[in-house]
Amino acid sequence: MSPLLNPLLALFLRDVRLAIRVGGGGGIGVLFFLIVTVLMPFAIGPDLALLGRIGPAILWLGALLASLLTLDRLFAADHEDGSLDLISMSETPLELAIATKAAAHWLTTGLPLVIATPFLGLFMNLDGTASAAVALTLLAGTPALTFVGLIGAALSVALRRGGLLLAVLVLPLTVPVLIFGVAASNAAIVGPVPFGTPFTILCALTLVSLVVGIFAAAAALRQGME
Amino acid sequence: MPARWAEMRLEGSGLTCVRGGREVFAGLGFSVAGGEALLVTGRNGAGKSSLLRMIAGLVRIAGGQFAVTGVDAEKTIPEQAHYLGHLDALKPSLTVAENLGFWARYLGGGAPPQTALATVGLAALADLPAAYLSAGQRRRLSIARLLAVQRPIWLLDEPTSALDREAQDALAGLMRQHLSGGGLIVAAAHGPIGLERAKELRVGADA
Amino acid sequence: MNLFSSLGPHAAFIVAAYAVAALTVAGLIGWIWIDHRAQKRRLALLEMGGVTRRSDRAAGRPA
Amino acid sequence: MALIDLANPTRFLSLARPTLPWLAGLTAAVFAVGLVLTHGAPDDYQQGATVKIMFIHVPSAWLGMFGWTLMSAAALGTLVWRHPLADVAAKAAAPIGAAFTFLCLVTGSLWGRPMWGTYWVWDARLTSVLLLFLMYLGVIALWRTVEDPSRAARAAAILTLVGAINLPIIKWSVDWWNTLHQPASVVKLGGPAIHPTILLPLMVMALAFTLLFLTLHLAAMRNEILRRRVRTLMLMQAQAAPGSGS
């Protein structure tokens, strides 16, 4: 294993192991997603036709909130026990370390959301293809949510406020991903726009947020070194 | 003990530190060579920790600069320094071995030597989650990190806190061993920490 | 397969329901059994390592 | 954490070990009888053979409620008498109750598919069971996050009791929110409205399920006691090692 990969792999495995032992392997994220999705019909009413039409939107909102709110602890935990200091004192560049932590977070939080989507689709009276479409768009979209949320997580560590501040800072940045995610899902269910167009834009957004997120978060952490 | 590092020197000149708008110290200078220890003293809040964290690259340098000679030129100072702060950088849900293993692989790129845990007396607790350790044992586990990865510069912030008498003597031995190996130590503490020939640097109002 | 035909047009759902029931119960039993074995193993490991409970020692069992 | 005296749970363990196989055997026997009876039950004039799903759906719904009731009783044991066995009983019952509630939801949607045309319908009873399932997951999540067993037990006990108070309120409000599901046909004031030939298998299956719950719960409690014993030993191991004083 090349000297650069070994530390990153160690960091990745540590974060995944921590997520499984402490957070139940993304269980909390999926539980939050389930509760948010189940709450909607109580407000909207048990009308299945209506729920079917806004199903993708509800699932996307639930997944967005679930992945953002679990990001708060991404850096805060390491900051509080002093691990972040040592991580910055290593030959491995901070950007790569952040990318590794984000990948571990996505695997333990984002991916379970995607896997849970078809089951929650049942509550929204979505048939097979609809649920699959939402799941596919979430698969492409959740990495963007993680990497955009990364910036908020890094900033909230530096500002020692965390929590809701993260959501306030980051929610506007996730709007494009939300728009094209829901658009792609609806395109697959209702049309008329072909599924491909919004979906490729969504993938582009993810790639952009991948790069911007990592460097912005690293800068935020370094700037926060007070 | 053959000198692991060639003739080495770490110097700081005209160092100024501003934290939260307050000037902690200004115009501070020091010089410490391989095999020597620098004891940074001063009342609480005088900036002892800030100086150490500044060397470790964890605090922005408002003024002045560091110079280091006789070490690997490409690496920055933080990449060649160990920082032992008040926080132990341990995850309670990971076991003792997992915690040490992670830091050895992340900072040093390889598995920790078997002796690291034994030297600090935690070999019997290798598979115990760190949550069950006492403050003193968590401190020993942090010290094991210094042994697991070979780095010339040790930055120790009140290293003897939470250690019992026996552990303090063991730490003094490790520090002497590190110095005789050609490494250098910058330690912040209130009193002597078992290092007889340490140079002293007072920080604070009457510096 | 008279069982299947005797269940009428919606046989698949009935069989599915019983299958899910069997799976859930098997899952529970499996989880409890694996958990039992894991705790037993960790207890043996700890007791082999010389750590004994106060009441064990009090009950005169070898430390 | 004072080393709580494990004498009482130890006696429980010595009682649990012999009774477990007997209880399991009895459960299997009653299940055998139940399955034979359900196989022989006649078809319902409306739903045809899908009524056979009811023999699983209704008992698992009862067990969902039974589990929460059991946990509430244990919660009282924890908060009022601070009995360590009550903590163990509450923690052991949660996953089993959740599993049967999940089974009730799945069989409910499988039963609903032929009748209503979709797997999930937001009708009152299924929705109440869904909320009960979410509350189960909440309690289990709470158990997992708090490290110290006695603190976790008190927190979970409070949540369980608050949940128990809210369950009727949830049930009533969901009913008000939507009344699509068949009115409670079994527990009707005028006695069961369904034909005895269907009621008998239902009762036998309910008994079988309850015995199954008790067997699983007993075994889960035994595991929980062993888990606490492991935790105590690990604490002692840490204290025996050097440097534990400070």
Side-chain angles (χ1 to χ4, degrees):
Chain A
M1 187 68 75
S2 78
L4 185 63
L5 271 186
N6 202 352
L8 293 178
L9 186 62
L11 182 62
F12 183 81
L13 292 176
R14 181 197 75 149
D15 272 24
V16 167
R17 187 176 290 150
L18 279 175
I20 289 170
R21 285 200 191 154
V22 172
I28 294 295
V30 173
L31 191 54
F32 181 85
F33 185 25
L34 174 62
I35 287 172
V36 166
T37 309
V38 166
L39 274 184
M40 294 296 174
F42 292 120
I44 295 165
D47 169 7
L48 284 178
L50 174 60
L51 286 177
R53 274 201 308 282
I54 55 172
I58 293 175
L59 291 177
W60 253 94
L61 277 172
L64 184 128
L65 292 176
S67 57
L68 281 191
L69 292 180
T70 51
L71 262 168
D72 180 46
R73 294 303 302 166
L74 189 64
F75 296 119
D78 283 339
H79 179 71
E80 278 148 20
D81 63 30
S83 305
L84 206 54
D85 293 344
L86 299 184
I87 287 176
S88 66
M89 288 171 67
S90 128
E91 289 153 51
T92 316
L94 193 58
E95 283 78 3
L96 285 183
I98 288 176
T100 311
K101 281 182 77 67
H105 179 272
W106 180 77
L107 188 70
T108 54
T109 314
L111 201 54
L113 295 182
V114 174
I115 293 167
T117 304
F119 302 103
L120 298 188
L122 291 177
F123 293 135
M124 293 296 126
N125 190 25
L126 296 179
D127 58 18
T129 54
S131 290
V134 176
L136 187 62
T137 53
L138 275 176
L139 184 65
T142 38
L145 298 178
T146 301
F147 281 101
V148 164
L150 213 56
I151 307 168
L155 285 173
S156 62
V157 161
L159 307 177
R160 301 232 179 342
R161 286 284 298 113
L164 286 182
L165 177 71
L166 167 78
V168 168
L169 296 180
V170 161
L171 274 179
L173 307 177
T174 60
V175 166
V177 175
L178 179 65
I179 290 171
F180 285 103
V182 175
S185 316
N186 286 336
I189 302 165
V190 179
V193 175
F195 174 76
T197 334
F199 186 68
T200 36
I201 298 170
L202 179 67
C203 297
L205 282 172
T206 300
L207 295 176
V208 166
S209 59
L210 194 75
V211 174
V212 169
I214 292 175
F215 288 103
L221 280 184
R222 284 202 188 89
Q223 176 273 334
M225 293 286 187
E226 268 307 298
Chain B
M1 254 301 264
R4 207 171 290 107
W5 296 285
E7 199 41 54
M8 184 172 62
R9 177 165 292 281
L10 171 64
E11 279 163 347
S13 49
L15 293 171
T16 310
C17 171
V18 174
R19 294 189 71 173
R22 187 174 61 86
E23 186 184 86
V24 181
F25 56 75
L28 204 67
F30 68 89
S31 165
V32 55
E36 281 175 358
L38 177 70
L39 195 59
V40 182
T41 56
R43 52 173 173 68
N44 267 348
K48 303 196 297 292
S49 297
S50 301
L51 175 63
L52 259 60
R53 287 179 70 86
M54 192 183 270
I55 302 172
L58 302 174
V59 160
R60 230 163 15 81
I61 303 168
Q65 78 276 340
F66 290 107
V68 67
T69 54
V71 285
D72 185 339
E74 295 99 29
K75 288 188 187 171
T76 65
I77 295 179
E79 286 162 20
Q80 300 175 77
H82 270 308
Y83 174 69
L84 187 69
H86 299 301
L87 301 171
D88 294 322
L90 299 174
K91 295 293 179 186
S93 54
L94 294 181
T95 68
V96 168
E98 282 166 348
N99 269 300
L100 187 63
F102 166 68
W103 287 119
R105 284 188 185 78
Y106 191 78
L107 297 174
Q114 295 311 331
T115 56
L117 276 182
T119 319
V120 292
L122 293 176
L125 308 181
D127 298 329
L128 199 68
Y132 294 93
L133 299 181
S134 70
Q137 288 166 329
R138 274 206 306 278
R139 199 64 172 161
R140 288 161 175 259
L141 187 50
S142 294
I143 291 168
R145 189 177 71 237
L146 274 59
L147 309 174
V149 179
Q150 293 298 338
R151 287 191 170 190
I153 302 170
W154 281 12
L155 306 170
L156 312 176
D157 198 342
E158 287 171 22
T160 54
S161 68
L163 289 184
D164 52 34
R165 161 102 350 255
E166 176 217 341
Q168 287 179 13
D169 300 343
L171 178 61
L174 292 175
M175 287 196 281
R176 272 192 295 276
Q177 214 178 8
H178 178 70
L179 294 177
S180 62
L184 64 87
I185 293 177
V186 180
H190 289 297
I193 44 169
L195 286 176
E196 307 77 19
R197 293 177 295 97
K199 294 188 329 191
E200 188 176 337
L201 170 68
R202 279 204 65 75
V203 172
D206 46 26
Chain C
M1 250 286 275
N2 61 12
L3 170 74
F4 206 75
S5 59
S6 72
L7 291 180
H10 304 298
F13 296 105
I14 299 165
V15 170
Y18 280 72
V20 166
L23 263 174
T24 314
V25 172
L28 275 173
I29 295 171
W31 166 63
I32 287 177
W33 187 68
I34 290 169
D35 188 31
H36 180 62
R37 229 155 40 89
Q39 302 309 329
K40 274 266 189 245
R41 193 163 35 80
R42 286 167 74 181
L43 263 177
L45 222 65
L46 283 163
E47 249 137 35
M48 203 239 299
V51 188
T52 47
R53 290 171 51 245
R54 192 164 33 79
S55 45
D56 281 356
R57 276 198 296 275
R61 252 169 281 158
Chain D
M1 185 196 87
L3 283 182
I4 47 170
D5 175 2
L6 286 183
N8 194 306
T10 315
R11 195 153 29 82
F12 171 84
L13 268 190
S14 52
L15 281 172
R17 268 197 193 87
T19 50
L20 211 50
W22 285 102
L23 197 53
L26 179 63
T27 309
V30 177
F31 250 111
V33 170
L35 285 176
V36 166
L37 283 176
T38 57
H39 181 59
D43 293 357
D44 183 83
Y45 59 93
Q46 258 177 342
Q47 299 159 9
T50 57
V51 77
K52 288 196 183 347
I53 298 179
M54 184 176 75
F55 296 130
I56 297 178
H57 177 63
V58 174
S60 45
W62 282 343
L63 282 191
M65 253 73 83
F66 172 71
W68 199 274
T69 320
L70 191 86
M71 280 162 56
S72 306
L76 288 177
T78 306
L79 293 176
V80 174
W81 299 289
R82 286 193 184 284
H83 196 295
L85 218 50
D87 311 355
V88 167
K91 181 167 185 186
I96 302 169
F100 281 112
T101 313
F102 171 75
L103 181 58
C104 171
L105 288 172
V106 173
T107 48
S109 79
L110 282 175
W111 191 12
R113 181 71 176 81
M115 268 208 306
W116 297 316
T118 64
Y119 276 110
W120 179 263
V121 167
W122 288 95
D123 76 276
R125 294 200 19 189
L126 270 181
T127 310
S128 310
V129 173
L130 175 64
L131 291 177
L132 176 64
F133 180 60
L134 293 185
M135 286 166 61
Y136 267 114
L137 296 183
V139 165
I140 295 170
L142 178 62
W143 274 109
R144 284 179 63 90
T145 44
V146 181
E147 187 54 38
D148 169 48
S150 46
R151 233 158 39 82
R154 276 192 298 281
I158 293 166
L159 179 63
T160 308
L161 288 177
V162 163
I165 297 165
N166 276 298
L167 273 181
I169 300 172
I170 291 174
K171 180 86 180 67
W172 180 79
S173 49
V174 168
D175 283 351
W176 183 85
W177 172 73
N178 170 309
T179 49
L180 185 64
H181 198 274
Q182 204 183 23
S185 58
V186 175
V187 187
K188 241 212 182 83
L189 292 184
I194 41 181
H195 198 273
T197 56
I198 289 184
L199 186 61
L200 180 64
L202 183 59
M203 285 305 164
V204 173
M205 284 300 276
L207 176 63
F209 267 75
T210 310
L211 284 172
L212 176 64
F213 186 103
L214 294 177
T215 319
L216 294 173
H217 188 220
L218 198 64
M221 280 178 75
R222 178 200 54 194
N223 289 358
E224 187 52 33
I225 290 173
L226 294 181
R227 194 189 328 275
R228 288 183 177 219
R229 198 169 280 182
V230 163
R231 188 173 185 282
T232 312
L233 289 185
M234 285 212 266
L235 276 169
M236 292 174 70
Q237 184 183 28
Q239 272 152 17
S244 58
S246 53

